[in-house]
Short mmCIF file of all heavy atoms in Angstrom, two decimals:
data_model
loop_
_atom_site.label_atom_id
_atom_site.label_comp_id
_atom_site.label_asym_id
_atom_site.label_seq_id
_atom_site.Cartn_x
_atom_site.Cartn_y
_atom_site.Cartn_z
N ALA A 249 82.25 134.50 83.47
CA ALA A 249 81.34 135.64 83.65
C ALA A 249 82.05 136.84 84.27
O ALA A 249 81.40 137.77 84.76
CB ALA A 249 80.16 135.22 84.53
N ALA A 250 83.38 136.81 84.26
CA ALA A 250 84.20 137.90 84.81
C ALA A 250 83.96 138.08 86.30
O ALA A 250 84.06 139.19 86.81
CB ALA A 250 83.93 139.20 84.07
N HIS A 251 83.63 136.99 86.97
CA HIS A 251 83.48 137.02 88.43
C HIS A 251 84.40 135.97 89.05
O HIS A 251 83.97 135.18 89.88
CB HIS A 251 82.02 136.74 88.83
CG HIS A 251 81.05 137.76 88.31
ND1 HIS A 251 81.09 139.09 88.68
CD2 HIS A 251 80.03 137.65 87.43
CE1 HIS A 251 80.12 139.75 88.07
NE2 HIS A 251 79.46 138.90 87.30
N ALA A 252 85.63 135.95 88.59
CA ALA A 252 86.57 134.95 89.09
C ALA A 252 86.71 135.08 90.60
O ALA A 252 87.01 136.15 91.12
CB ALA A 252 87.93 135.14 88.43
N PRO A 253 86.46 133.98 91.35
CA PRO A 253 86.53 134.06 92.81
C PRO A 253 87.96 134.23 93.29
O PRO A 253 88.90 133.77 92.63
CB PRO A 253 85.94 132.71 93.25
CG PRO A 253 86.24 131.80 92.11
CD PRO A 253 86.14 132.63 90.87
N PRO A 254 88.14 134.89 94.42
CA PRO A 254 89.49 134.98 94.99
C PRO A 254 89.99 133.59 95.39
O PRO A 254 89.22 132.63 95.47
CB PRO A 254 89.30 135.89 96.21
CG PRO A 254 87.85 135.78 96.55
CD PRO A 254 87.13 135.57 95.25
N GLY A 255 91.28 133.53 95.66
CA GLY A 255 91.88 132.24 95.96
C GLY A 255 91.25 131.52 97.13
O GLY A 255 91.00 130.31 97.09
N TRP A 256 90.94 132.29 98.21
CA TRP A 256 90.38 131.64 99.40
C TRP A 256 88.98 131.08 99.12
O TRP A 256 88.62 130.01 99.64
CB TRP A 256 90.32 132.64 100.55
CG TRP A 256 89.41 133.82 100.33
CD1 TRP A 256 89.74 135.02 99.79
CD2 TRP A 256 88.01 133.88 100.61
NE1 TRP A 256 88.65 135.85 99.73
CE2 TRP A 256 87.57 135.18 100.23
CE3 TRP A 256 87.09 132.99 101.16
CZ2 TRP A 256 86.24 135.59 100.39
CZ3 TRP A 256 85.78 133.40 101.32
CH2 TRP A 256 85.36 134.68 100.94
N LEU A 257 88.20 131.78 98.28
CA LEU A 257 86.86 131.29 97.95
C LEU A 257 86.94 130.09 97.02
O LEU A 257 86.16 129.13 97.14
CB LEU A 257 86.05 132.41 97.30
CG LEU A 257 84.57 132.06 96.99
CD1 LEU A 257 83.85 131.65 98.26
CD2 LEU A 257 83.89 133.25 96.33
N HIS A 258 87.89 130.12 96.11
CA HIS A 258 88.12 128.99 95.20
C HIS A 258 88.43 127.74 96.00
O HIS A 258 87.83 126.67 95.79
CB HIS A 258 89.26 129.34 94.24
CG HIS A 258 89.53 128.29 93.20
ND1 HIS A 258 90.15 127.10 93.50
CD2 HIS A 258 89.26 128.27 91.86
CE1 HIS A 258 90.27 126.39 92.41
NE2 HIS A 258 89.73 127.06 91.39
N ASP A 259 89.39 127.85 96.93
CA ASP A 259 89.77 126.70 97.75
C ASP A 259 88.63 126.29 98.69
O ASP A 259 88.39 125.09 98.89
CB ASP A 259 91.02 127.03 98.57
CG ASP A 259 92.23 127.27 97.69
OD1 ASP A 259 92.22 126.81 96.53
OD2 ASP A 259 93.19 127.93 98.15
N GLY A 260 87.94 127.28 99.26
CA GLY A 260 86.84 126.96 100.16
C GLY A 260 85.71 126.22 99.47
O GLY A 260 85.14 125.27 100.02
N PHE A 261 85.40 126.65 98.23
CA PHE A 261 84.35 125.96 97.49
C PHE A 261 84.77 124.53 97.16
O PHE A 261 83.97 123.59 97.23
CB PHE A 261 84.03 126.73 96.20
CG PHE A 261 82.97 126.10 95.36
CD1 PHE A 261 81.64 126.12 95.77
CD2 PHE A 261 83.29 125.46 94.17
CE1 PHE A 261 80.65 125.53 95.00
CE2 PHE A 261 82.31 124.87 93.40
CZ PHE A 261 80.98 124.90 93.82
N GLY A 262 86.03 124.36 96.80
CA GLY A 262 86.53 123.02 96.52
C GLY A 262 86.45 122.11 97.73
O GLY A 262 86.06 120.94 97.62
N LEU A 263 86.79 122.65 98.90
CA LEU A 263 86.71 121.85 100.13
C LEU A 263 85.25 121.52 100.47
O LEU A 263 84.96 120.42 100.96
CB LEU A 263 87.36 122.61 101.28
CG LEU A 263 88.88 122.72 101.23
CD1 LEU A 263 89.39 123.61 102.37
CD2 LEU A 263 89.54 121.35 101.31
N ALA A 264 84.35 122.47 100.21
CA ALA A 264 82.94 122.22 100.48
C ALA A 264 82.40 121.10 99.58
O ALA A 264 81.66 120.22 100.04
CB ALA A 264 82.14 123.50 100.28
N VAL A 265 82.78 121.12 98.31
CA VAL A 265 82.35 120.05 97.40
C VAL A 265 82.95 118.71 97.84
O VAL A 265 82.27 117.68 97.83
CB VAL A 265 82.75 120.38 95.96
CG1 VAL A 265 82.46 119.20 95.03
CG2 VAL A 265 82.00 121.61 95.47
N LEU A 266 84.22 118.73 98.23
CA LEU A 266 84.86 117.50 98.69
C LEU A 266 84.15 116.94 99.92
O LEU A 266 83.91 115.73 100.01
CB LEU A 266 86.33 117.78 99.02
CG LEU A 266 87.12 116.61 99.62
CD1 LEU A 266 87.17 115.44 98.66
CD2 LEU A 266 88.54 117.06 99.99
N ALA A 267 83.79 117.83 100.85
CA ALA A 267 83.06 117.38 102.04
C ALA A 267 81.71 116.78 101.66
O ALA A 267 81.29 115.75 102.22
CB ALA A 267 82.88 118.55 103.00
N GLY A 268 81.03 117.41 100.71
CA GLY A 268 79.74 116.89 100.27
C GLY A 268 79.88 115.52 99.60
O GLY A 268 79.06 114.62 99.84
N VAL A 269 80.91 115.36 98.77
CA VAL A 269 81.14 114.07 98.10
C VAL A 269 81.44 112.99 99.14
O VAL A 269 80.90 111.88 99.07
CB VAL A 269 82.28 114.20 97.08
CG1 VAL A 269 82.74 112.83 96.60
CG2 VAL A 269 81.84 115.05 95.90
N CYS A 270 82.31 113.29 100.09
CA CYS A 270 82.66 112.30 101.11
C CYS A 270 81.45 111.95 101.98
O CYS A 270 81.27 110.79 102.37
CB CYS A 270 83.80 112.83 101.98
SG CYS A 270 85.39 112.93 101.11
N ALA A 271 80.60 112.94 102.28
CA ALA A 271 79.39 112.67 103.05
C ALA A 271 78.45 111.75 102.26
O ALA A 271 77.86 110.82 102.82
CB ALA A 271 78.68 113.97 103.41
N GLY A 272 78.33 112.01 100.95
CA GLY A 272 77.51 111.14 100.12
C GLY A 272 78.05 109.72 100.06
O GLY A 272 77.28 108.75 100.10
N ILE A 273 79.36 109.59 99.97
CA ILE A 273 79.98 108.26 99.94
C ILE A 273 79.75 107.53 101.26
O ILE A 273 79.46 106.33 101.28
CB ILE A 273 81.47 108.39 99.62
CG1 ILE A 273 81.66 108.84 98.18
CG2 ILE A 273 82.21 107.08 99.88
CD1 ILE A 273 83.08 109.21 97.82
N ALA A 274 79.88 108.26 102.37
CA ALA A 274 79.63 107.64 103.66
C ALA A 274 78.19 107.14 103.76
O ALA A 274 77.93 106.05 104.28
CB ALA A 274 79.93 108.64 104.78
N TRP A 275 77.25 107.94 103.25
CA TRP A 275 75.85 107.52 103.27
C TRP A 275 75.63 106.27 102.43
O TRP A 275 74.91 105.35 102.82
CB TRP A 275 74.96 108.64 102.77
CG TRP A 275 73.50 108.26 102.79
CD1 TRP A 275 72.63 108.33 103.83
CD2 TRP A 275 72.76 107.73 101.67
NE1 TRP A 275 71.39 107.87 103.46
CE2 TRP A 275 71.44 107.49 102.14
CE3 TRP A 275 73.08 107.43 100.35
CZ2 TRP A 275 70.45 106.97 101.32
CZ3 TRP A 275 72.09 106.91 99.53
CH2 TRP A 275 70.80 106.70 100.01
N VAL A 276 76.28 106.21 101.25
CA VAL A 276 76.16 105.04 100.38
C VAL A 276 76.68 103.80 101.09
O VAL A 276 76.09 102.71 100.98
CB VAL A 276 76.92 105.28 99.06
CG1 VAL A 276 77.10 103.97 98.29
CG2 VAL A 276 76.19 106.29 98.20
N MET A 277 77.76 103.94 101.84
CA MET A 277 78.37 102.79 102.49
C MET A 277 77.55 102.28 103.69
O MET A 277 77.60 101.10 104.00
CB MET A 277 79.79 103.12 102.94
CG MET A 277 80.80 103.07 101.82
SD MET A 277 81.00 101.39 101.19
CE MET A 277 81.65 101.72 99.55
N VAL A 278 76.83 103.16 104.35
CA VAL A 278 76.07 102.71 105.53
C VAL A 278 74.61 102.46 105.20
O VAL A 278 73.88 101.85 105.99
CB VAL A 278 76.15 103.74 106.68
CG1 VAL A 278 77.58 103.89 107.14
CG2 VAL A 278 75.56 105.08 106.28
N ALA A 279 74.14 102.93 104.04
CA ALA A 279 72.73 102.73 103.68
C ALA A 279 72.44 101.26 103.47
O ALA A 279 73.24 100.52 102.87
CB ALA A 279 72.40 103.52 102.41
N SER A 280 71.28 100.83 103.95
CA SER A 280 70.86 99.42 103.82
C SER A 280 71.94 98.49 104.33
O SER A 280 72.33 97.52 103.66
CB SER A 280 70.50 99.09 102.37
OG SER A 280 69.51 99.94 101.89
N ALA A 281 72.48 98.81 105.48
CA ALA A 281 73.59 98.02 106.03
C ALA A 281 73.09 96.71 106.57
O ALA A 281 73.15 96.42 107.75
CB ALA A 281 74.31 98.81 107.12
N GLY A 282 72.57 95.88 105.69
CA GLY A 282 72.12 94.56 106.12
C GLY A 282 73.16 93.50 105.90
O GLY A 282 73.07 92.40 106.43
N GLY A 283 74.15 93.81 105.04
CA GLY A 283 75.16 92.78 104.72
C GLY A 283 76.30 92.82 105.71
O GLY A 283 77.05 93.76 105.78
N ARG A 284 76.42 91.77 106.51
CA ARG A 284 77.56 91.63 107.40
C ARG A 284 78.49 90.58 106.85
O ARG A 284 78.08 89.68 106.12
CB ARG A 284 77.09 91.21 108.80
CG ARG A 284 76.20 92.25 109.48
CD ARG A 284 76.96 93.54 109.72
NE ARG A 284 76.14 94.55 110.34
CZ ARG A 284 76.53 95.78 110.58
NH1 ARG A 284 77.73 96.16 110.24
NH2 ARG A 284 75.73 96.65 111.16
N ARG A 285 79.72 90.64 107.25
CA ARG A 285 80.71 89.74 106.70
C ARG A 285 80.44 88.31 107.13
O ARG A 285 80.22 88.02 108.29
CB ARG A 285 82.11 90.17 107.15
CG ARG A 285 83.19 89.28 106.52
CD ARG A 285 84.55 89.88 106.70
NE ARG A 285 85.58 89.02 106.19
CZ ARG A 285 85.88 88.92 104.93
NH1 ARG A 285 85.22 89.61 104.04
NH2 ARG A 285 86.83 88.12 104.52
N VAL A 286 80.48 87.40 106.15
CA VAL A 286 80.30 85.99 106.42
C VAL A 286 81.68 85.36 106.55
O VAL A 286 82.61 85.72 105.83
CB VAL A 286 79.51 85.33 105.27
CG1 VAL A 286 79.33 83.84 105.54
CG2 VAL A 286 78.16 86.00 105.10
N ASP A 287 81.84 84.43 107.48
CA ASP A 287 83.12 83.77 107.68
C ASP A 287 83.63 83.16 106.38
O ASP A 287 82.86 82.53 105.63
CB ASP A 287 83.00 82.67 108.73
CG ASP A 287 82.89 83.24 110.14
OD1 ASP A 287 82.91 84.49 110.25
OD2 ASP A 287 82.74 82.49 111.10
#
Side-chain angles (χ1 to χ4, degrees):
H251 298 297
W256 64 269
L257 184 58
H258 183 286
D259 295 339
F261 180 72
L263 289 175
V265 173
L266 175 62
V269 168
C270 291
I273 290 171
W275 181 84
V276 166
M277 281 294 158
V278 298
S280 303
R284 297 296 179 184
R285 183 167 177 79
V286 180
D287 286 0

